[in-house]
């Protein structure tokens, strides 16, 4: 690969500066449920207590960084989210390096710019969870894997092992991406062996990388390994009784990933999904000559993650595929360029094809910036806003209840002292006593299913005045959130 020019450094710096500005704005917004739980159950604990047992909500490497940040800057939202933002910016730089290596500087600039403007990339960079860390280590892993296959050295594969261990120590699902690469490596070894051209370095050095990474990840988890095994072995039990069965459907996952990016768009959602598939396929064709393993690894990771999550009965959250956004963006950009080049070839005007690609880049950037606006219009989930409203409107002697799992953060983080309603029996007991009461409902889609009486008394859409008319419970406040089912509703019975 050619040396990086001053122009390349300039454009990378400009894109990262833009990305930083877009991520700093709104960084101090209200924390949502998982972030608040992380603060209460991990970040506020001592170092020894924080690392004693395994929790699905504990993204270990990220939370260690978040605790360092919180102790240095205080317990503010921006300090707790700072590591996620830094990891997110670093993942953009890593993606730039990867894209430049496989597709050249121009494509690297375009891909990184679109990621800098991406709604999802901004959202997760302002989310005190480990997903931007996973994206960073996976992107570096892809870069080192492709280099290591082409020019295997001990240094490259040991670096790869460090990325593997860091990803897995951030979140167990980080192993899925490196497992996909492992399967591709085994396929290469088998193919070369069958052809009688197996290079010993292709066998030994990648094995060294996988072995070193696996051993290091195991050592990092060793103090909490028994707890980890118990938690993983019982994860399917909670999913089996979950009323939100759609969360285990990969089709729902795909539509939800698109919906969160473009908003509620009805049938247009399917068209966007089809466009992503077609352009990614064209991008795979365009990249095949210079990086034949790139697209297969990306596709295999998506398939493998889906299959493994379904096999263990876990919910298939779109965030488990966040690491693929950068890879898919590169494929889409390559697909758009190939399409424009084909148009130029058909009209026998290559300059027109290049001009069409430039217009397409401007259009994609403008659309991305427009979609990213939603990150700043409403918070992820305004649990804090609901608490402030209740504190302001509650009358002397008026009973207040929190509904569902959000009640735990009102109790432990806000110290509200509100009883929590989890079941239909809890709701019936709370409402049996006459008199006014207030209900704070986080995750209303889930809670209206888990507590049918609540859904009946509030109506199918308590935030719609016409549809809510005549129901026992009246919406005092409806606080929207960008998180899926992230609205918070304050209901009152007079």
């Amino acid at each position: 690969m050619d040396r990086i020019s001053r122009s390349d450094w300039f454009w990378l710096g400009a894109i990262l500066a833009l990305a930083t500005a877009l991520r700093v704005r709104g960084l101090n917004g209200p924390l949502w449920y998982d972030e608040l739980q992380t603060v209460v159950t991990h970040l506020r604990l001592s170092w020894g207590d924080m690392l004693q047992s395994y929790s699905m909500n504990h993204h270990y490497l990220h939370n260690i960084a978040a605790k360092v940040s919180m102790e240095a800057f205080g317990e503010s939202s921006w300090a707790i989210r700072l590591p996620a933002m830094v990891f997110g910016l670093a993942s953009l730089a890593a993606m730039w390096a990867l894209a430049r290596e496989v597709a050249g500087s121009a494509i690297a600039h375009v891909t990184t710019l679109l990621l800098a403007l991406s709604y999802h990339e901004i959202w997760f960079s302002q989310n005190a969870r480990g997903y931007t860390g996973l994206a960073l280590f996976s992107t570096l892993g892809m870069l080192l894997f492709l280099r290591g296959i082409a020019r295997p050295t001990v240094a490259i594969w040991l670096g790869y092992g460090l990325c593997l261990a860091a990803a897995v120590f951030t979140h167990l699902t980080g192993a899925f991406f490196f497992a996909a690469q492992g399967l591709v490596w085994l396929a290469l070894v088998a193919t070369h062996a069958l052809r009688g051209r197996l290079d010993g370095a292709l066998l030994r050095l990648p094995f060294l990388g996988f072995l070193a990474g696996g051993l290091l990840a195991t050592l990092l988890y060793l103090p909490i390994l028994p707890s980890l095994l118990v938690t993983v072995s019982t994860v399917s039990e909670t999913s089996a009784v979950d009323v939100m069965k759609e969360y285990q459907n990969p089709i729902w996952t795909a539509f939800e990933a698109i919906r969160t990016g473009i908003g509620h768009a009805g049938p247009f959602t399917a068209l966007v999904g089809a466009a992503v598939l077609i352009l990614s396929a064209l991008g795979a064709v365009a990249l095949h000559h210079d990086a034949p393993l790139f697209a297969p690894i990306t596709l295999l990771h998506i398939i493998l993650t889906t299959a493994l999550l379904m096999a263990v009965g876990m919910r298939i959250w779109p965030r488990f595929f966040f690491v693929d956004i950068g890879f898919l963006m590169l494929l889409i950009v390559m697909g758009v360029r190939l399409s424009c080049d084909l148009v130029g070839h058909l009209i026998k005007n290559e300059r027109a094809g290049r001009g069409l690609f430039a217009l397409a880049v401007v259009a994609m950037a403008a659309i991305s910036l427009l979609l990213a606006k939603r990150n700043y219009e409403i918070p992820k989930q305004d649990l804090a806003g609901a608490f402030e409203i209740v504190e302001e409107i509650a009358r002397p002697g008026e009973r207040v209840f929190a509904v569902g799992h959000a009640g735990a953060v009102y109790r432990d983080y806000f110290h509200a002292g509100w009883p929590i309603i989890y079941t239909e029996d809890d709701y019936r007991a709370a409402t049996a006593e006459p008199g006014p009461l207030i209900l704070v409902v986080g995750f209303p889609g889930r809670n209206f299913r888990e507590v049918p009486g609540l859904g009946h008394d509030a109506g199918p859409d308590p935030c719609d005045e016409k549809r809510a008319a005549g129901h026992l419970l009246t919406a005092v406040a409806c606080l929207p959130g960008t998180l899926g089912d992230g609205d918070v509703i304050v209901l009152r019975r007079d």
Side-chain angles (χ1 to χ4, degrees), residues 397-448:
E398 188 170 20
R399 295 178 298 141
V400 181
F401 294 86
V403 181
H405 295 289
V409 298
Y410 283 119
R411 178 193 63 209
D412 300 330
Y413 184 87
F414 295 99
H415 307 293
W418 304 338
I420 304 173
I421 294 173
Y422 288 111
T423 66
E424 180 72 8
D425 289 341
D426 293 340
Y427 178 70
R428 291 303 176 194
T431 56
E433 184 178 336
L437 57 80
I438 293 175
L439 301 167
V440 182
V441 185
F443 305 104
R446 169 182 290 279
N447 286 315
F448 286 166

Side-chain angles (χ1 to χ4, degrees), residues 196-480:
R197 299 185 315 193
L198 180 60
D199 182 355
L202 179 64
L203 180 63
R204 295 190 305 272
L205 296 184
F207 177 77
L208 172 65
F210 284 108
L211 179 64
L215 288 176
L216 180 56
T218 302
L219 287 173
L220 290 170
Y221 275 119
L222 195 59
I224 55 172
L225 193 58
S227 174
L228 184 154
L229 295 175
V230 170
T231 301
V232 172
S233 66
T234 58
V235 69
S236 61
E237 297 176 7
T238 59
S239 297
V241 297
D242 193 347
V243 296
M244 309 297 282
K245 292 300 181 185
E246 61 267 36
Y247 292 172
Q248 300 171 45
N249 185 333
I251 297 176
W252 172 87
T253 305
F255 274 83
E256 181 67 7
I258 298 170
R259 184 203 65 76
T260 54
I262 67 175
H264 294 280
F268 188 65
T269 303
L271 293 177
V272 172
V276 168
L277 289 175
I278 293 169
L279 290 173
S280 296
L282 289 173
V285 172
L287 270 181
H288 180 73
H289 180 268
D290 294 318
L293 301 181
F294 182 88
I297 290 171
T298 303
L299 177 61
L300 183 57
H301 173 246
I302 294 172
I303 294 173
L304 183 64
T305 299
T306 303
L308 290 174
L309 292 174
M310 292 180 69
V312 300
M314 276 190 67
R315 303 167 186 87
I316 310 174
W317 301 117
R319 56 182 176 260
F320 291 152
F321 304 92
F322 176 72
V323 300
D324 298 300
I325 290 179
F327 307 138
L328 291 173
M329 186 66 78
L330 174 56
L331 290 173
I332 289 169
V333 171
M334 291 296 293
V336 171
R337 189 177 75 169
L338 177 59
S339 300
C340 294
D341 288 345
L342 289 174
V343 171
H345 178 73
L346 288 174
I347 64 175
K348 298 181 179 180
N349 188 333
E350 293 184 2
R351 176 180 289 183
R354 291 194 295 270
L356 184 60
F357 178 63
L359 289 175
V361 170
V362 172
M364 287 189 292
I367 293 171
S368 296
L369 190 58
L370 181 65
L371 293 175
K373 285 175 56 180
R374 290 192 301 117
N375 275 303
Y376 313 108
E377 293 170 346
I378 54 177
K380 291 175 169 58
Q381 186 183 39
D382 201 358
L383 295 168
F387 176 75
E388 292 171 1
I389 289 172
V390 172
E391 289 289 287
E392 180 180 343
I393 69 170
R395 304 160 187 155
E398 188 170 20
R399 295 178 298 141
V400 181
F401 294 86
V403 181
H405 295 289
V409 298
Y410 283 119
R411 178 193 63 209
D412 300 330
Y413 184 87
F414 295 99
H415 307 293
W418 304 338
I420 304 173
I421 294 173
Y422 288 111
T423 66
E424 180 72 8
D425 289 341
D426 293 340
Y427 178 70
R428 291 303 176 194
T431 56
E433 184 178 336
L437 57 80
I438 293 175
L439 301 167
V440 182
V441 185
F443 305 104
R446 169 182 290 279
N447 286 315
F448 286 166
R449 291 191 198 180
E450 291 184 333
V451 186
L454 172 66
H456 176 270
D457 292 344
D461 188 355
C463 297
D464 185 325
E465 291 185 9
K466 292 182 179 179
R467 299 185 69 188
H471 287 88
L472 182 64
L473 300 173
T474 302
V476 177
C478 295
L479 306 177

